[in-house]
Short mmCIF file of all heavy atoms in Angstrom, two decimals:
data_model
loop_
_atom_site.label_atom_id
_atom_site.label_comp_id
_atom_site.label_asym_id
_atom_site.label_seq_id
_atom_site.Cartn_x
_atom_site.Cartn_y
_atom_site.Cartn_z
N ARG A 4 85.93 90.11 91.47
CA ARG A 4 84.57 89.89 90.91
C ARG A 4 84.66 89.15 89.62
O ARG A 4 83.72 88.35 89.25
CB ARG A 4 83.88 91.19 90.76
CG ARG A 4 83.47 91.85 92.11
CD ARG A 4 82.97 93.30 91.85
NE ARG A 4 81.71 93.32 91.11
CZ ARG A 4 81.22 94.34 90.50
NH1 ARG A 4 81.89 95.52 90.57
NH2 ARG A 4 80.08 94.29 89.85
N ILE A 5 85.67 89.34 88.80
CA ILE A 5 85.82 88.67 87.54
C ILE A 5 86.16 87.22 87.75
O ILE A 5 85.82 86.36 86.96
CB ILE A 5 86.81 89.37 86.65
CG1 ILE A 5 86.44 90.79 86.36
CG2 ILE A 5 87.04 88.62 85.32
CD1 ILE A 5 87.54 91.59 85.66
N GLY A 6 86.98 86.95 88.81
CA GLY A 6 87.41 85.58 88.99
C GLY A 6 88.93 85.37 89.20
O GLY A 6 89.40 84.25 89.21
N PHE A 7 89.61 86.51 89.36
CA PHE A 7 91.07 86.41 89.63
C PHE A 7 91.29 86.15 91.10
O PHE A 7 90.59 86.66 91.99
CB PHE A 7 91.76 87.73 89.25
CG PHE A 7 91.89 88.01 87.81
CD1 PHE A 7 90.95 88.80 87.15
CD2 PHE A 7 92.94 87.49 87.09
CE1 PHE A 7 91.11 89.09 85.84
CE2 PHE A 7 93.10 87.80 85.77
CZ PHE A 7 92.16 88.57 85.09
N LYS A 8 92.42 85.45 91.39
CA LYS A 8 93.00 85.43 92.72
C LYS A 8 94.00 86.58 92.76
O LYS A 8 94.68 86.90 91.77
CB LYS A 8 93.72 84.13 93.01
CG LYS A 8 92.76 82.96 93.15
CD LYS A 8 93.53 81.68 93.55
CE LYS A 8 92.53 80.49 93.69
NZ LYS A 8 93.26 79.25 94.03
N LEU A 9 94.07 87.25 93.92
CA LEU A 9 94.75 88.55 93.96
C LEU A 9 95.92 88.52 94.95
O LEU A 9 95.77 88.15 96.08
CB LEU A 9 93.75 89.64 94.33
CG LEU A 9 94.25 91.08 94.22
CD1 LEU A 9 94.65 91.45 92.78
CD2 LEU A 9 93.16 92.04 94.75
N ASP A 10 97.09 88.99 94.50
CA ASP A 10 98.19 89.25 95.39
C ASP A 10 98.39 90.76 95.31
O ASP A 10 99.04 91.32 94.41
CB ASP A 10 99.45 88.54 94.85
CG ASP A 10 100.75 88.95 95.61
OD1 ASP A 10 100.61 89.43 96.74
OD2 ASP A 10 101.85 88.87 95.05
N PHE A 11 97.78 91.45 96.29
CA PHE A 11 97.74 92.92 96.30
C PHE A 11 98.96 93.44 97.07
O PHE A 11 99.02 93.25 98.31
CB PHE A 11 96.42 93.39 96.90
CG PHE A 11 96.20 94.87 96.74
CD1 PHE A 11 95.49 95.40 95.63
CD2 PHE A 11 96.65 95.79 97.72
CE1 PHE A 11 95.27 96.73 95.48
CE2 PHE A 11 96.40 97.18 97.56
CZ PHE A 11 95.68 97.64 96.42
N VAL A 12 99.88 94.06 96.41
CA VAL A 12 101.10 94.55 97.05
C VAL A 12 100.96 96.06 97.26
O VAL A 12 101.08 96.85 96.39
CB VAL A 12 102.36 94.29 96.18
CG1 VAL A 12 103.59 94.81 96.88
CG2 VAL A 12 102.47 92.80 95.86
N ALA A 13 100.63 96.42 98.53
CA ALA A 13 100.48 97.80 98.90
C ALA A 13 101.87 98.32 99.22
O ALA A 13 102.50 97.88 100.19
CB ALA A 13 99.56 97.93 100.13
N THR A 14 102.36 99.33 98.46
CA THR A 14 103.70 99.80 98.61
C THR A 14 103.73 101.32 98.42
O THR A 14 102.71 101.99 98.50
CB THR A 14 104.63 99.03 97.66
OG1 THR A 14 106.00 99.45 97.91
CG2 THR A 14 104.31 99.30 96.19
N ASP A 15 104.91 101.90 98.15
CA ASP A 15 105.04 103.29 97.92
C ASP A 15 105.40 103.52 96.42
O ASP A 15 105.82 102.61 95.74
CB ASP A 15 106.07 103.90 98.82
CG ASP A 15 107.47 103.27 98.62
OD1 ASP A 15 108.22 103.78 97.70
OD2 ASP A 15 107.77 102.31 99.28
N TRP A 16 105.24 104.77 96.01
CA TRP A 16 105.45 105.11 94.57
C TRP A 16 106.90 104.89 94.15
O TRP A 16 107.12 104.44 93.03
CB TRP A 16 105.03 106.54 94.35
CG TRP A 16 105.03 106.98 92.90
CD1 TRP A 16 105.63 108.08 92.39
CD2 TRP A 16 104.34 106.35 91.80
NE1 TRP A 16 105.37 108.17 91.05
CE2 TRP A 16 104.60 107.14 90.63
CE3 TRP A 16 103.58 105.20 91.64
CZ2 TRP A 16 104.09 106.79 89.38
CZ3 TRP A 16 103.07 104.86 90.40
CH2 TRP A 16 103.38 105.69 89.27
N GLY A 17 107.85 105.16 95.02
CA GLY A 17 109.23 104.90 94.66
C GLY A 17 109.48 103.45 94.39
O GLY A 17 110.24 103.08 93.42
N THR A 18 108.94 102.57 95.18
CA THR A 18 109.12 101.13 94.98
C THR A 18 108.40 100.67 93.72
O THR A 18 108.96 99.86 92.96
CB THR A 18 108.49 100.34 96.21
OG1 THR A 18 109.25 100.75 97.37
CG2 THR A 18 108.70 98.83 95.98
N VAL A 19 107.23 101.22 93.44
CA VAL A 19 106.58 100.88 92.13
C VAL A 19 107.49 101.32 90.98
O VAL A 19 107.65 100.53 89.99
CB VAL A 19 105.22 101.61 92.04
CG1 VAL A 19 104.65 101.44 90.60
CG2 VAL A 19 104.23 101.02 93.03
N GLY A 20 108.09 102.50 91.08
CA GLY A 20 108.95 102.95 89.97
C GLY A 20 110.09 102.04 89.73
O GLY A 20 110.50 101.88 88.60
N ALA A 21 110.68 101.49 90.82
CA ALA A 21 111.80 100.55 90.65
C ALA A 21 111.33 99.15 90.23
O ALA A 21 111.90 98.54 89.31
CB ALA A 21 112.57 100.45 91.96
N ARG A 22 110.27 98.66 90.86
CA ARG A 22 109.81 97.28 90.57
C ARG A 22 109.26 97.10 89.16
O ARG A 22 109.38 96.06 88.56
CB ARG A 22 108.83 96.84 91.63
CG ARG A 22 108.45 95.39 91.50
CD ARG A 22 107.69 94.84 92.78
NE ARG A 22 107.30 93.51 92.57
CZ ARG A 22 106.72 92.76 93.49
NH1 ARG A 22 106.41 93.30 94.70
NH2 ARG A 22 106.37 91.50 93.24
N ARG A 23 108.59 98.15 88.64
CA ARG A 23 107.98 97.98 87.30
C ARG A 23 108.97 97.82 86.24
O ARG A 23 108.69 97.43 85.08
CB ARG A 23 107.07 99.19 87.03
CG ARG A 23 107.80 100.51 86.83
CD ARG A 23 106.82 101.65 86.65
NE ARG A 23 107.52 102.89 86.40
CZ ARG A 23 106.93 104.07 86.16
NH1 ARG A 23 105.61 104.14 86.15
NH2 ARG A 23 107.64 105.20 85.94
N ALA A 24 110.25 98.13 86.47
CA ALA A 24 111.36 97.95 85.54
C ALA A 24 111.86 96.50 85.54
O ALA A 24 112.65 96.13 84.65
CB ALA A 24 112.50 98.89 85.82
N VAL A 25 111.45 95.68 86.46
CA VAL A 25 111.87 94.30 86.55
C VAL A 25 111.10 93.43 85.58
O VAL A 25 109.87 93.41 85.66
CB VAL A 25 111.71 93.75 88.03
CG1 VAL A 25 112.11 92.30 88.09
CG2 VAL A 25 112.53 94.65 88.98
N LYS A 26 111.81 92.75 84.74
CA LYS A 26 111.12 91.92 83.67
C LYS A 26 110.91 90.46 84.09
O LYS A 26 110.26 89.74 83.35
CB LYS A 26 112.00 91.96 82.39
CG LYS A 26 111.98 93.34 81.70
CD LYS A 26 112.61 93.29 80.37
CE LYS A 26 112.47 94.63 79.60
NZ LYS A 26 113.12 94.61 78.26
N GLY A 27 111.41 90.08 85.26
CA GLY A 27 111.27 88.72 85.67
C GLY A 27 109.82 88.46 86.22
O GLY A 27 109.02 89.43 86.34
N PRO A 28 109.50 87.21 86.56
CA PRO A 28 108.18 86.88 87.08
C PRO A 28 107.99 87.47 88.47
O PRO A 28 108.88 87.91 89.15
CB PRO A 28 108.19 85.38 87.11
CG PRO A 28 109.63 84.98 87.19
CD PRO A 28 110.34 86.00 86.42
N PRO A 29 106.73 87.59 88.89
CA PRO A 29 106.42 88.21 90.21
C PRO A 29 107.17 87.58 91.35
O PRO A 29 107.58 88.28 92.29
CB PRO A 29 104.89 87.97 90.33
CG PRO A 29 104.40 87.95 88.95
CD PRO A 29 105.45 87.23 88.14
N GLY A 30 107.39 86.28 91.33
CA GLY A 30 108.14 85.61 92.39
C GLY A 30 109.57 85.98 92.44
O GLY A 30 110.25 85.71 93.42
N GLN A 31 110.07 86.67 91.38
CA GLN A 31 111.45 87.08 91.35
C GLN A 31 111.54 88.62 91.32
O GLN A 31 112.46 89.21 90.73
CB GLN A 31 112.16 86.49 90.16
CG GLN A 31 112.23 84.95 90.18
CD GLN A 31 112.87 84.37 88.96
OE1 GLN A 31 113.58 85.05 88.20
NE2 GLN A 31 112.62 83.12 88.73
N GLY A 32 110.54 89.28 91.90
CA GLY A 32 110.58 90.73 92.04
C GLY A 32 109.82 91.41 90.92
O GLY A 32 109.79 92.66 90.86
N GLY A 33 109.19 90.69 90.04
CA GLY A 33 108.44 91.29 88.93
C GLY A 33 106.99 91.60 89.30
O GLY A 33 106.64 91.71 90.47
N TRP A 34 106.09 91.63 88.36
CA TRP A 34 104.76 92.09 88.59
C TRP A 34 103.84 91.67 87.48
O TRP A 34 104.30 91.28 86.36
CB TRP A 34 104.76 93.64 88.70
CG TRP A 34 105.37 94.31 87.51
CD1 TRP A 34 106.72 94.47 87.31
CD2 TRP A 34 104.70 94.86 86.41
NE1 TRP A 34 106.94 95.10 86.08
CE2 TRP A 34 105.70 95.34 85.49
CE3 TRP A 34 103.37 94.97 85.98
CZ2 TRP A 34 105.39 95.93 84.28
CZ3 TRP A 34 103.11 95.53 84.80
CH2 TRP A 34 104.07 96.05 83.93
N ASN A 35 102.54 91.77 87.71
CA ASN A 35 101.52 91.55 86.67
C ASN A 35 100.84 92.78 86.20
O ASN A 35 100.49 92.93 85.02
CB ASN A 35 100.50 90.52 87.16
CG ASN A 35 101.04 89.11 87.38
OD1 ASN A 35 100.95 88.56 88.48
ND2 ASN A 35 101.66 88.61 86.36
N MET A 36 100.56 93.71 87.10
CA MET A 36 99.92 94.98 86.74
C MET A 36 100.20 96.07 87.76
O MET A 36 100.54 95.75 88.88
CB MET A 36 98.40 94.86 86.56
CG MET A 36 97.59 94.50 87.79
SD MET A 36 97.24 95.78 89.05
CE MET A 36 96.63 97.10 88.05
N PHE A 37 100.17 97.34 87.31
CA PHE A 37 100.27 98.39 88.20
C PHE A 37 99.44 99.56 87.68
O PHE A 37 99.02 99.55 86.50
CB PHE A 37 101.74 98.89 88.41
CG PHE A 37 102.35 99.56 87.23
CD1 PHE A 37 102.30 100.95 87.06
CD2 PHE A 37 103.10 98.82 86.27
CE1 PHE A 37 102.90 101.56 85.96
CE2 PHE A 37 103.68 99.45 85.21
CZ PHE A 37 103.54 100.83 85.02
N HIS A 38 99.19 100.57 88.52
CA HIS A 38 98.41 101.71 88.10
C HIS A 38 99.31 102.96 88.03
O HIS A 38 100.22 103.12 88.81
CB HIS A 38 97.27 102.05 89.06
CG HIS A 38 96.06 101.21 88.81
ND1 HIS A 38 95.33 101.26 87.62
CD2 HIS A 38 95.44 100.29 89.62
CE1 HIS A 38 94.31 100.41 87.74
NE2 HIS A 38 94.38 99.80 88.90
N THR A 39 99.07 103.79 86.99
CA THR A 39 99.70 105.09 86.91
C THR A 39 98.70 106.05 86.18
O THR A 39 97.52 105.72 86.08
CB THR A 39 101.06 105.02 86.19
OG1 THR A 39 101.71 106.27 86.24
CG2 THR A 39 100.86 104.56 84.73
N TRP A 40 99.21 107.19 85.73
CA TRP A 40 98.42 108.08 84.93
C TRP A 40 99.33 108.84 84.04
O TRP A 40 100.58 108.89 84.28
CB TRP A 40 97.57 109.01 85.85
CG TRP A 40 98.42 110.05 86.52
CD1 TRP A 40 98.53 111.37 86.14
CD2 TRP A 40 99.16 109.92 87.70
NE1 TRP A 40 99.36 112.08 87.01
CE2 TRP A 40 99.83 111.19 87.97
CE3 TRP A 40 99.52 108.84 88.53
CZ2 TRP A 40 100.61 111.40 89.03
CZ3 TRP A 40 100.35 109.05 89.62
CH2 TRP A 40 100.91 110.34 89.83
N HIS A 41 98.77 109.50 83.03
CA HIS A 41 99.60 110.25 82.08
C HIS A 41 98.97 111.65 81.84
O HIS A 41 97.76 111.77 81.79
CB HIS A 41 99.65 109.51 80.74
CG HIS A 41 100.01 108.06 80.89
ND1 HIS A 41 101.29 107.69 81.27
CD2 HIS A 41 99.31 106.95 80.74
CE1 HIS A 41 101.33 106.35 81.33
NE2 HIS A 41 100.14 105.90 81.05
N ALA A 42 99.82 112.63 81.75
CA ALA A 42 99.41 114.00 81.50
C ALA A 42 98.72 113.99 80.11
O ALA A 42 99.23 113.45 79.13
CB ALA A 42 100.55 114.96 81.51
N GLY A 43 97.54 114.67 80.04
CA GLY A 43 96.88 114.78 78.77
C GLY A 43 97.68 115.36 77.70
O GLY A 43 97.58 115.06 76.51
N GLY A 44 98.58 116.30 78.08
CA GLY A 44 99.47 116.94 77.13
C GLY A 44 100.44 115.94 76.45
O GLY A 44 100.93 116.22 75.32
N ASP A 45 100.73 114.81 77.15
CA ASP A 45 101.56 113.78 76.57
C ASP A 45 100.82 112.87 75.60
O ASP A 45 101.50 112.10 74.85
CB ASP A 45 102.12 112.90 77.69
CG ASP A 45 103.16 113.59 78.57
OD1 ASP A 45 103.50 114.76 78.25
OD2 ASP A 45 103.51 113.05 79.63
N CYS A 46 99.53 112.96 75.65
CA CYS A 46 98.69 111.97 74.93
C CYS A 46 97.85 112.53 73.78
O CYS A 46 96.87 111.94 73.34
CB CYS A 46 97.79 111.26 75.89
SG CYS A 46 98.65 110.52 77.37
N ILE A 47 98.24 113.70 73.31
CA ILE A 47 97.43 114.35 72.22
C ILE A 47 97.78 113.82 70.85
O ILE A 47 97.04 113.93 69.89
CB ILE A 47 97.59 115.90 72.26
CG1 ILE A 47 99.05 116.31 72.10
CG2 ILE A 47 96.97 116.47 73.49
CD1 ILE A 47 99.22 117.81 72.02
N ASN A 48 98.96 113.19 70.73
CA ASN A 48 99.38 112.57 69.50
C ASN A 48 100.44 111.55 69.85
O ASN A 48 100.92 111.46 71.01
CB ASN A 48 99.87 113.57 68.45
CG ASN A 48 101.09 114.32 68.96
OD1 ASN A 48 102.08 113.75 69.49
ND2 ASN A 48 101.07 115.63 68.81
#
């Protein structure tokens, strides 16, 4: 809706955990964004 073209990679959490550590460009196994969440107890300070 904003105007991006989208490459939506539907995968599993284990793959996200490994791929998000890759610092190369998306075409070389990297990425542009991913979703996660954080425990509130980790974010109080």
Side-chain angles (χ1 to χ4, degrees):
R4 290 171 64 196
I5 299 172
F7 286 96
K8 291 183 180 178
L9 189 62
D10 173 23
F11 191 90
V12 180
T14 185
D15 61 88
W16 187 232
T18 300
V19 171
R22 186 167 177 177
R23 67 184 182 179
V25 177
K26 291 187 175 181
Q31 298 177 19
W34 54 279
N35 293 123
M36 62 78 50
F37 71 90
H38 278 297
T39 188
W40 74 99
H41 310 290
D45 292 351
C46 307
I47 58 177
N48 63 48

